Amino acid sequence: MKFYQAKPKDQVIKNLKKEGNELFQERINIDTILLNDTNISQRQLDYMRIQKSIMESLATIIDIQIKDLKENK
């Protein structure tokens, strides 16, 4: 079993913010496709909407984690 050294909270917050920003960019990319691409099947568009919804849920969880880490230093 391998043990990992715990990271300082500030580093965890920084990493979570980076992950949140990456998710935000991915959601923008999906929005661009949903609004502009007419060569994608309806089924694929539906999958992309589901994907975007899941990403939004992940972003919400990341925000909650960051808030909790900041409040419980």
Side-chain angles (χ1 to χ4, degrees):
M1 176 184 263
K2 186 174 183 178
F3 291 95
Y4 295 95
Q5 184 175 356
K7 294 179 182 175
K9 283 186 183 182
D10 289 341
Q11 183 64 40
V12 174
I13 291 170
K14 181 180 175 183
N15 292 345
L16 287 169
K17 286 181 178 182
K18 180 181 175 189
E19 185 176 348
N21 289 335
E22 290 169 358
L23 277 171
F24 180 75
Q25 287 301 317
E26 286 296 321
R27 289 182 288 161
I28 289 174
N29 293 342
I30 289 173
D31 279 341
T32 300
I33 293 169
L34 291 173
L35 294 171
N36 298 312
D37 201 325
T38 58
N39 292 324
I40 296 178
S41 70
Q42 186 60 48
R43 182 181 300 165
Q44 288 299 317
L45 292 172
D46 291 342
Y47 292 150
M48 292 182 86
R49 286 185 188 96
I50 293 168
Q51 181 181 1
K52 181 183 172 200
S53 176
I54 291 168
M55 289 176 158
E56 288 169 345
S57 295
L58 286 171
T60 299
I61 292 168
I62 289 171
D63 289 343
I64 291 168
Q65 286 178 280
I66 291 169
K67 181 180 178 194
D68 181 69
L69 286 165
K70 287 180 176 180
E71 290 175 352
N72 295 300
K73 282 193 170 194

